[in-house]
Each structure stands twice: as C-alpha cells, then as structure tokens.
Amino acid sequence: MDWSFANPLKLAYWFSITTPPFQRISFIAVLVALGLILAAGVFLRLTARKKRANPPLSQGLIRLSRPLFFLAILGLVLVGFRELGAAILSARAWLVVVLIIAVLWTAWIARHILKNYKTECQRLEQERK
C-alpha cells in the first residue's frame, strides 16, 4: 500500500494485523527520535546527580526521566516487532498508545514537580534551620 495523506484517517491503517517494515529513511528517523528521547532521560539523570544539594530538584529530575526511559525502551521494542512483522504487536496503534501514555505521564509528573517544588524547598530550609 502506497502512503498517502488519506491513509491515517482510516482505522485499518492504525489497527492492521501486520504492517510492512519501515522504509530506510523513516526507520532512521524513528531510531534517531527514540535515541534522542533516551539521551534526554540520561541527561536528566546526570543533572539530578549534579544537583544533589537541592533534593526537591534532584528527585523531580529523576521522576521526569522515568517516562522518557519508558518511551524509548518500549518504542524500540515496538519498532523491533514492526521490523519483524509480528502479528498484532506491529500495529501502528501501539506506538501511538505508548506515546500518549508517556506524554500524559510526563505532564502529570511535571505538574506535580512544579506544584510542590516551592513547598519542598521551604520545608527543606526549615529542617536546615
């Protein structure tokens, strides 16, 4: 099936039992995107280690890195299933579901961090006094 802009509007496009492997350019683009997401997670973890003096920030960065690792690892697994042509597991919908879960998880954690950061810093200052 040749790709056109009308294909993503059909449910059969997203939920087909088997999908063809990626084309070379799209495969490289997906691997680079997942690699950048994984690198962002590693960067947040390394930054959290450097910011140990500020525990609320350090814990927040660690919490924020978890959905990035989840997205990168599960994305690589699903891309592998797609390349193998595994039935049901290679459906495009799985990649979208994983992406939505990771985005919602990241937004929820970021909201929690921003909401509680100031109170945690004040509590830490009170404990230090």
Side-chain angles (χ1 to χ4, degrees):
M1 170 169 43
D2 290 330
W3 197 88
S4 74
F5 287 104
N7 284 344
L9 300 175
K10 300 174 187 171
L11 284 178
Y13 176 81
W14 296 103
F15 295 101
S16 62
I17 300 296
T18 58
T19 56
F22 285 109
Q23 294 177 356
R24 182 177 171 95
I25 296 294
S26 59
F27 182 66
I28 291 170
V30 168
L31 289 182
V32 166
L34 291 173
L36 288 174
I37 291 169
L38 186 63
V42 170
F43 176 75
L44 287 176
R45 287 286 173 126
L46 293 176
T47 305
R49 279 191 175 176
K50 290 180 183 177
K51 303 290 182 180
R52 284 186 192 168
N54 188 350
L57 179 61
S58 177
Q59 288 298 319
L61 291 175
I62 289 172
R63 286 182 186 154
L64 204 53
S65 69
R66 288 178 186 148
L68 296 176
F69 287 131
F70 168 78
L71 178 62
I73 292 169
L74 198 54
L76 288 171
V77 168
L78 291 174
V79 166
F81 283 138
R82 171 110 183 242
E83 287 300 306
L84 291 174
I88 298 176
L89 293 173
S90 67
R92 294 173 182 100
W94 288 116
L95 287 172
V96 173
V97 168
V98 168
L99 180 65
I100 289 171
I101 289 170
V103 166
L104 291 176
W105 190 9
T106 304
W108 183 74
I109 289 172
R111 182 178 159 264
H112 177 74
I113 291 168
L114 293 174
K115 182 179 172 184
N116 294 332
Y117 180 73
K118 188 179 261 187
T119 57
E120 288 292 321
C121 285
Q122 290 173 352
R123 185 185 60 80
L124 187 63
E125 285 296 322
Q126 292 295 331
E127 287 179 7
R128 286 183 181 167
K129 288 181 181 180

